[in-house]
Amino acid sequence: RTALHGIGGAPAVAEDHAHLGLALAGLAGATGQQIWLERAVTVLEAAVERFSAADGSFLDAEPSELLPAPSHQLTDDACPSVTATMVKALRRVALMAERPDLMERADRASSALEPVVAAAPRYGGWALADHLVRDEARRGLKPATVVVVEEAAAPGELAAAAWRMAPSGTALLRGRQGTEGFGGWFAERGDAAGPTAYVCRGTVCFEPVTDYLELKDPLWRRV
């Protein structure tokens, strides 16, 4: 969390792990470089090991001599709660890396936030948003993974449209043909006809899209 002249100070807390995991996942999706996704997985696995609470939520920090009673706040304040942020990070990385175990861990943490949503939804905005995504999933709009295959270094129209129009909970990846890592998302997917987007929801993958004007339909199609 802090260091001065290379000497460590206060150790990272759960909030640091959660937001760093989200940032690394975003970087991985934008660049197509698997190293960032690997680091996101490492950070989140460490957070699960160090900060898990008995009810499935996450402690704010580990108990220590300075903090004998663990801090455990489930409501949002100026920032989202640690548990809600971990849920978002775990879900995104689970989709990108094809790690169902991380998705299951996110489900446990999300369930631990149900009392907050029921009793004081204004203090659980991120938890409420996740519950709405889960409700949409039960009605056929499961969180999707969008894979944009393009050779250009900078995102093109397809990637920009996907980031702009995708439903909440979507995981977005872009990279060159043959990109390694990311589970099997880039396997046998190419851009022979130019930049191509592949939208998959659960075990269902829709037809490839090459025109960004046609991307909205698969992004929002229920299965």
Side-chain angles (χ1 to χ4, degrees), residues 15 23 28-29 48 59 64 69 94 118 156 163 166 181 186 194 196 199 213:
E15 180 181 42
V48 169
L59 304 174
S64 66
W163 279 318
F186 285 93
T196 306
V199 180
L213 295 175

Side-chain angles (χ1 to χ4, degrees), residues 157-198:
E157 290 181 333
L158 269 176
W163 279 318
R164 185 173 63 251
M165 295 189 299
S168 181
T170 302
L172 302 168
L173 314 173
R174 63 171 297 273
R176 292 181 170 87
Q177 183 175 0
T179 294
E180 297 181 351
F182 300 94
W185 287 119
F186 285 93
E188 300 181 1
R189 291 192 169 104
D191 66 343
T196 306
Y198 301 84

Side-chain angles (χ1 to χ4, degrees), residues 120-213:
R122 65 178 295 186
Y123 298 110
W126 275 43
L128 180 59
D130 182 70
H131 279 67
L132 291 174
V133 171
R134 294 178 72 181
D135 184 61
E136 288 290 342
R138 285 188 286 268
R139 295 188 290 159
L141 194 67
K142 296 180 179 179
T145 303
V146 182
V147 181
V148 178
V149 181
E150 57 184 355
E151 294 299 317
E157 290 181 333
L158 269 176
W163 279 318
R164 185 173 63 251
M165 295 189 299
S168 181
T170 302
L172 302 168
L173 314 173
R174 63 171 297 273
R176 292 181 170 87
Q177 183 175 0
T179 294
E180 297 181 351
F182 300 94
W185 287 119
F186 285 93
E188 300 181 1
R189 291 192 169 104
D191 66 343
T196 306
Y198 301 84
V199 180
C200 295
R201 178 163 285 115
T203 59
V204 177
C205 291
F206 304 119
E207 61 277 6
V209 175
T210 57
D211 186 344
Y212 76 95
L213 295 175

Side-chain angles (χ1 to χ4, degrees), residues 36-158:
W36 304 120
L37 183 59
E38 291 173 357
R39 292 180 179 178
V41 170
T42 298
V43 166
L44 295 180
E45 286 181 337
V48 169
E49 180 178 352
R50 292 176 57 187
F51 305 108
S52 287
D55 64 353
S57 64
F58 292 94
L59 304 174
D60 297 341
E62 292 178 295
S64 66
E65 293 181 0
L66 297 177
L67 189 68
S71 176
H72 192 198
Q73 179 176 326
L74 297 182
T75 56
D76 298 344
D77 47 30
C79 296
S81 73
V82 166
T83 298
T85 310
M86 278 293 297
V87 168
K88 185 172 183 178
L90 287 167
R91 291 203 190 287
R92 183 172 300 175
V93 170
L95 287 174
M96 294 173 70
E98 294 191 302
R99 287 283 301 272
D101 58 317
L102 297 182
M103 189 66 75
E104 291 172 2
R105 184 63 185 87
D107 288 340
R108 285 185 58 209
S110 181
S111 296
L113 293 173
E114 289 178 0
V116 174
V117 174
R122 65 178 295 186
Y123 298 110
W126 275 43
L128 180 59
D130 182 70
H131 279 67
L132 291 174
V133 171
R134 294 178 72 181
D135 184 61
E136 288 290 342
R138 285 188 286 268
R139 295 188 290 159
L141 194 67
K142 296 180 179 179
T145 303
V146 182
V147 181
V148 178
V149 181
E150 57 184 355
E151 294 299 317
E157 290 181 333
L158 269 176

